[in-house]
Amino acid sequence: MRFLLVNGPNLNLLGHREPEIYGSTSLQFIESDLQEKAEAEGIHLESFQSNFEGALVDRIHQSIGKVDGILINAGAYTHTSIALRDALLGAGIPYVELHLSNTQAREQFRHQSFLAAGAIGVVSGFGVNSYELAFRGLLTYLLAKQMTL
Ligand code: DQA
């Protein structure tokens, strides 16, 4: 199976950005660590980060027919982007929404997600572990689906 990990705006600053909220681990480390864990499960994982909404939409379109599942931390676009929601639903690829912080425990404007309703599930608040938990959730979901086919 093939998975795509998508990170949105400002997540390239992980490690430097508000470490009291987002921790001190860099995105590069998160990506390579998850890639190792994916490989151990026989999953090919590609990673993509952009600060541009259109670039994220394009990358999701490009993954049609090429990936089995998407892990997405859309950053602030989670709370604003109908375009990303439409791209994910349009691609028809199962996805898990994830966040390092618990967005429901933060400012009111972070409580709304345009992506959550179409997602398999949402993982939020476990710091860097949110990435692995989301990965395991997606994998378990897809394996169970394969068994019922
Ligand atoms: C975030 C939460 C968002 O509200 C915020 O805009 C981010 C990071 C998280 O991983 O906790 O950029 O997605």
Side-chain angles (χ1 to χ4, degrees):
M1 274 196 278
R2 298 174 81 87
F3 288 4
L4 174 68
L5 169 64
V6 177
N7 279 285
N10 301 308
L11 292 162
N12 55 312
L13 292 185
L14 284 181
H16 170 82
R17 171 193 187 199
E18 300 177 271
E20 65 289 356
I21 298 174
Y22 298 116
S24 54
T25 309
S26 70
L27 182 60
Q28 207 185 0
F29 182 89
I30 290 171
E31 287 175 347
S32 59
D33 182 59
L34 197 64
Q35 198 181 336
E36 267 178 36
K37 288 180 169 123
E39 263 169 38
E41 301 291 346
I43 306 296
H44 178 86
L45 179 82
E46 266 176 51
S47 298
F48 179 76
Q49 188 276 330
S50 179
N51 296 317
F52 296 90
E53 191 175 14
L56 295 163
V57 168
D58 280 346
R59 190 66 185 81
I60 290 163
H61 291 179
Q62 284 158 15
S63 64
I64 296 172
K66 299 200 180 101
V67 306
D68 303 290
I70 294 176
L71 302 163
I72 182 162
N73 183 351
Y77 288 146
T78 307
H79 320 299
T80 62
S81 181
I82 297 169
L84 264 186
R85 174 205 183 101
D86 286 351
L88 288 160
L89 294 177
I93 301 167
Y95 66 94
V96 174
E97 173 184 332
L98 76 99
H99 302 282
L100 294 122
S101 62
N102 178 356
T103 52
Q104 294 302 314
R106 299 181 62 194
E107 303 94 324
Q108 187 71 36
F109 62 82
R110 294 185 205 276
H111 295 186
Q112 151 111 328
S113 166
F114 281 107
L115 312 184
I120 298 165
V122 179
V123 177
S124 185
F126 296 94
V128 288
N129 291 326
S130 288
Y131 284 84
E132 183 179 353
L133 292 168
F135 167 76
R136 304 240 169 251
L138 179 62
L139 181 58
T140 305
Y141 170 87
L142 290 173
L143 289 175
K145 214 172 138 193
Q146 265 183 3
M147 295 215 307
T148 59
L149 289 179

